[in-house]
Amino acid sequence: MQKVESREILNQLYEQNKEKVNNSKCRILICAGTGCLAGGSGQIYEKMCELVANNPDVEIHFGPEIAHGDGPMEVKRSGCHGFCEMGPLMRIEPMGLLYTKVKLEDCEEIFEKTVKNGEVISRLVYKQNGVEYQKQEEIPFYDKQTRLVLENCGQIDAEHIEDAIAHDGYQALAKVLFEMTPDEVVNEILESNLRGRGGGGFQTGYKWKQVARQPEKIRYVVCNGDEGDPGAFMDRSIMEGDPHKMIEGMMIAAYAVGAQEGYIYVRAEYPLAISRLKMAIRDAEESGLLGDNIMGTDFSFHLHINRGAGAFVCGEGSALTASIEGNRGMPRVKPPRTVEQGLFDKPTVLNNVETYANVPMIILKGAEWYKSVGPETSPGTKAFALTGSVKNTGLIEVPMGTTLREVIFDIGGGIKNDGEFKAVQIGGPSGGCLVTSDLDVSLDFDSLKKMGAMIGSGGLVVMDSNTCMVEVARFFMNFTQNESCGKCVPCREGTKRMLEILERIVAGNGTMEDLDLLEELATMITDTALCGLGKSAAQPVMSTLRVFRDEYIEHVVDKKCKSGTCTALRKYVIDPDVCKGCSKCARNCPVSAISGKIKEPFTIDSSVCIKCGACAGACPFGAIKIEA
């Protein structure tokens, strides 16, 4: 690609690459995000490349209503489309057709029927409630979203800078370099009220302003791509599917605060994201969009990648910068804060991936446009990883202020197996539980804070009526306790004591005094822990204890787990009306807890039963159940 030595050359490349995309005879975009690759999309990509290579001059017949260019057919690796439940996914342009759950053996049929003749293969099209949705944008999962940050994910080739440039890549950077002063950039971000998408929702423009006014002239821009919340993959998908958008946001931040060096901190468990970031940085450097004297100006910026070892605490700012420096990732006492003394003790802008990815669109479209999306105090959109007991799991993006009901039932399609909604864990290990009465709560920073919850990085784990909330609390406390860096006593020892209590309760050995002790410990840890991890560590326990206290009491007093999740509290019983007396259960019981006569109902001795479930698995008639 031609070296971008001026804004004019960038505009020429934009026009050339845009025309190339529009002139394509057919573009086959195969999801190459981590999820779809695990489902075999890499082999599907290779097969489609082979079919296209063997038929370079094939005639296509999409019909008169679908216009196409006379350029070559293209097969592209895209980033995550978001509809993970339906992967591997394949989008075919210019039809706008989305195929779901594509298999390797479908490729030849797709090429012969769809690519050559425009025929839709019905079995590969998404269907909901008897309705067939051929176009991606018409599917309810997508139709209810507002994809701004994720706009290009699934739509462009994630591994070639030309596709990014054809979709306005680096136009915002050109605008700030040639039309705006650094102060004007800071003020535009401040005016937009963009709030950090990584946790607490701190105002981004104010953070940049604090760095820009520091007397120290050596400054750094750092991107937090660590993303340690269980079930969260928003930042990973952006880095995999549209890395140039995030890089451009970092460069604009660097220009605004006078930084010349930047670091992207990514956990090593994200090898695909790291690979595509390396490609993006290499391509940007080779094209003159990154490095010295960018676009012929006196602005220079160099970018580096640091791989983290997967420590959750390194999502905290001071622990993250310590890790980049080669030290053990541990938070430090503040002040001074990162904006004053961050990386290498220099003023540092530290935002997460999604925050930086918002910046280019704000610069191009303006702060007023941005504030028109979502509520005034939390404008813009938010990406969420929708997981758990919901029909349509995946990556979504909605305006701030969207309700939980819209996310779970309109976009998510409702509860799996038409079950009953019970709760949603929002904000990961630092968040809290919201229940049925909260379904109409507005998903924005301030509304959730009032309810004792938080958006966090954007994980949404949906739970149905079969979920044990005590076990949920134990799971998150176990995660937090394992991830505690151990620097401060409240977090190191307090979370350990809370975990021990929760383990006693799920084992059937808890007491009512344990519930009081949990609350006492939670208050102490929240008030005295050193960093954000410790201060929010007790939140999942406190929110479940507040809303589902009856379940805790049931575990402690009645020694029962209604959902049957807690193994120690299970009681297996045989329904005499269903049992045929085949003796399979008795023959599979490892402790001989089951007795009876052939062709008569068998019984289980609860005092001997070790609750392994082998009998239930062996019963061909479904006669063995867990007593509610």
Side-chain angles (χ1 to χ4, degrees):
M1 191 179 77
Q2 183 181 2
K3 202 169 183 68
V4 183
E5 296 177 334
S6 67
R7 190 179 190 182
E8 290 70 29
I9 293 175
L10 177 66
N11 290 334
Q12 290 171 14
L13 289 171
Y14 166 77
E15 296 295 340
Q16 291 170 11
N17 287 294
K18 192 74 173 177
E19 182 181 1
K20 182 182 176 183
V21 170
N22 293 336
N23 195 43
S24 175
K25 186 188 298 183
C26 178
R27 279 168 64 89
I28 304 167
L29 293 154
I30 297 163
C31 179
T34 295
C36 281
L37 283 172
S41 69
Q43 291 79 12
I44 293 169
Y45 169 79
E46 291 172 2
K47 183 64 177 177
M48 294 306 295
C49 286
E50 177 188 324
L51 291 167
V52 169
N54 292 338
N55 300 271
D57 301 318
V58 68
E59 291 292 325
I60 63 173
H61 305 280
F62 287 155
E65 71 281 2
I66 300 176
H68 61 81
D70 55 6
M73 283 191 293
E74 298 178 295
V75 184
K76 299 286 188 180
R77 290 189 187 95
S78 77
C80 177
H81 291 242
F83 207 3
C84 305
E85 183 79 14
M86 292 290 124
L89 299 164
M90 180 189 295
R91 182 181 172 107
I92 300 175
E93 296 286 6
M95 297 176 72
L97 180 65
L98 183 71
Y99 281 152
T100 61
K101 297 189 175 180
V102 178
K103 299 178 181 176
L104 184 61
E105 52 265 32
D106 296 323
C107 292
E108 291 192 17
E109 184 181 4
I110 291 171
F111 187 80
E112 291 297 323
K113 291 183 177 180
T114 305
V115 175
K116 291 171 68 173
N117 296 305
E119 181 183 339
V120 176
I121 303 170
S122 181
R123 76 171 189 282
L124 298 177
V125 172
Y126 178 73
K127 301 173 185 67
Q128 182 176 314
N129 299 326
V131 180
E132 185 176 283
Y133 297 93
Q134 296 182 2
K135 293 186 181 295
Q136 179 171 339
E137 288 74 19
E138 295 172 352
I139 297 173
F141 178 82
Y142 291 103
D143 181 52
K144 303 290 185 180
Q145 297 185 46
T146 302
R147 294 171 75 86
L148 300 178
V149 169
L150 302 177
E151 181 182 13
N152 294 335
C153 291
Q155 306 288 333
I156 67 171
D157 186 333
E159 298 185 353
H160 291 88
I161 194 172
E162 292 85 355
D163 257 27
I165 289 175
H167 290 78
D168 295 326
Y170 297 99
Q171 290 292 333
L173 176 64
K175 181 178 179 179
V176 303
L177 292 181
F178 292 98
E179 297 180 26
M180 302 174 73
T181 65
D183 285 345
E184 287 174 334
V185 176
V186 171
N187 289 334
E188 189 73 12
I189 300 301
L190 199 57
E191 178 64 23
S192 74
N193 199 20
L194 170 64
R195 297 174 68 170
R197 294 324 198 229
F202 192 77
Q203 196 176 44
T204 304
Y206 185 65
K207 187 181 289 188
W208 291 15
K209 186 175 182 178
Q210 286 180 300
V211 173
R213 70 186 183 189
Q214 296 299 319
E216 172 60 63
K217 297 306 178 186
I218 297 176
R219 298 149 185 181
Y220 293 99
V221 171
V222 176
C223 178
N224 180 358
D226 193 55
E227 195 171 47
D229 288 3
F233 55 98
M234 297 75 59
D235 289 350
R236 186 195 75 197
S237 295
I238 295 169
M239 291 185 284
E240 291 177 359
D242 194 8
H244 290 282
K245 183 177 286 187
M246 180 203 79
I247 290 171
E248 185 178 7
M250 291 186 69
M251 295 175 73
I252 292 169
Y255 174 78
V257 303
Q260 293 191 338
E261 298 281 337
Y263 290 81
I264 306 171
Y265 188 85
V266 192
R267 54 180 42 225
E269 294 99 318
Y270 286 179
L272 184 61
I274 293 169
S275 172
R276 290 193 177 152
L277 283 170
K278 286 181 177 178
M279 289 181 192
I281 291 171
R282 179 201 64 206
D283 289 349
E285 288 174 341
E286 290 178 355
S287 63
L289 289 167
L290 187 62
D292 295 322
N293 303 115
I294 296 168
M295 284 191 247
T297 68
D298 58 1
F299 173 61
S300 299
F301 185 66
H302 296 269
L303 204 49
H304 315 279
I305 296 175
N306 275 76
R307 288 182 294 178
F312 182 67
V313 73
C314 285
E316 193 275 342
S318 59
L320 185 151
T321 53
S323 181
I324 293 176
E325 293 167 358
N327 301 315
R328 182 179 175 186
M330 299 178 76
R332 58 171 168 77
V333 177
K334 304 173 189 65
R337 300 198 172 272
T338 305
V339 293
E340 300 157 341
Q341 291 182 31
L343 186 62
F344 305 120
D345 292 328
K346 305 297 183 184
T348 301
V349 168
L350 175 58
N351 292 118
N352 82 324
V353 173
E354 189 180 348
T355 308
Y356 285 122
N358 272 278
V359 170
M361 73 177 88
I362 293 172
I363 296 298
L364 286 178
K365 298 183 179 182
E368 289 305 315
W369 165 81
Y370 189 75
K371 288 192 290 186
S372 70
V373 181
E376 184 179 351
T377 57
S378 297
T381 59
K382 179 72 187 81
F384 291 97
L386 188 59
T387 59
S389 300
V390 65
K391 291 179 181 177
N392 298 329
T393 59
L395 183 68
I396 68 169
E397 184 180 357
V398 294
M400 286 282 196
T402 302
T403 66
L404 263 180
R405 189 182 302 276
E406 292 172 288
V407 169
I408 295 170
F409 292 94
D410 293 343
I411 297 174
I415 306 303
K416 278 183 180 177
N417 304 316
D418 296 320
E420 181 185 349
F421 170 78
K422 184 172 186 178
V424 60
Q425 175 74 16
I426 184 168
S430 302
C433 275
L434 300 176
V435 294
T436 304
S437 59
D438 304 320
L439 281 172
D440 294 309
V441 67
S442 172
L443 290 176
D444 63 73
F445 295 108
D446 300 322
S447 298
L448 288 175
K449 187 176 181 180
K450 291 176 184 176
M451 304 189 68
M454 63 187 295
I455 284 181
S457 61
L460 282 174
V461 183
V462 180
M463 292 166 277
D464 62 18
S465 56
N466 294 317
T467 306
C468 173
M469 302 311 296
V470 184
E471 169 56 26
V472 168
R474 190 211 63 80
F475 169 82
F476 281 111
M477 183 52 64
N478 181 63
F479 176 87
T480 305
Q481 207 283 317
N482 285 336
E483 294 294 339
S484 173
C485 74
K487 185 172 184 176
C488 72
V489 173
C491 183
R492 182 182 71 236
E493 297 299 324
T495 57
K496 188 175 182 180
R497 298 288 87 81
M498 288 187 74
L499 178 60
E500 288 171 352
I501 293 170
L502 290 166
E503 287 177 339
R504 282 205 303 270
I505 293 172
V506 299
N509 300 318
T511 65
M512 290 300 293
E513 288 74 19
D514 283 335
L515 304 188
D516 296 331
L517 187 54
L518 277 176
E519 293 178 325
E520 186 179 336
L521 282 167
T523 301
M524 180 275 295
I525 296 168
T526 302
D527 291 344
T528 59
L530 174 62
C531 76
L533 169 63
K535 290 182 182 299
S536 59
Q539 186 60 33
V541 178
M542 292 312 299
S543 64
T544 54
L545 191 54
R546 182 178 65 250
V547 182
F548 296 102
R549 194 177 189 89
D550 58 328
E551 287 196 28
Y552 281 85
I553 293 173
E554 181 185 65
H555 281 63
V556 169
V557 177
D558 300 330
K559 307 302 179 185
K560 284 186 178 180
C561 175
K562 193 182 299 182
S563 69
T565 303
C566 301
T567 304
L569 298 179
R570 290 175 184 166
K571 182 180 180 182
Y572 285 95
V573 294
I574 298 176
D575 187 340
D577 296 328
V578 180
C579 178
K580 305 298 182 184
C582 70
S583 80
K584 279 191 176 181
C585 56
R587 284 181 276 135
N588 281 273
C589 179
V591 292
S592 301
I594 303 174
S595 60
K597 296 180 180 179
I598 297 296
K599 295 187 179 180
E600 292 183 12
F602 278 59
T603 58
I604 300 175
D605 185 345
S606 297
S607 64
V608 179
C609 176
I610 59 171
K611 305 171 179 63
C612 66
C615 55
C619 180
F621 308 107
I624 302 177
K625 299 177 174 63
I626 298 172
E627 187 177 66

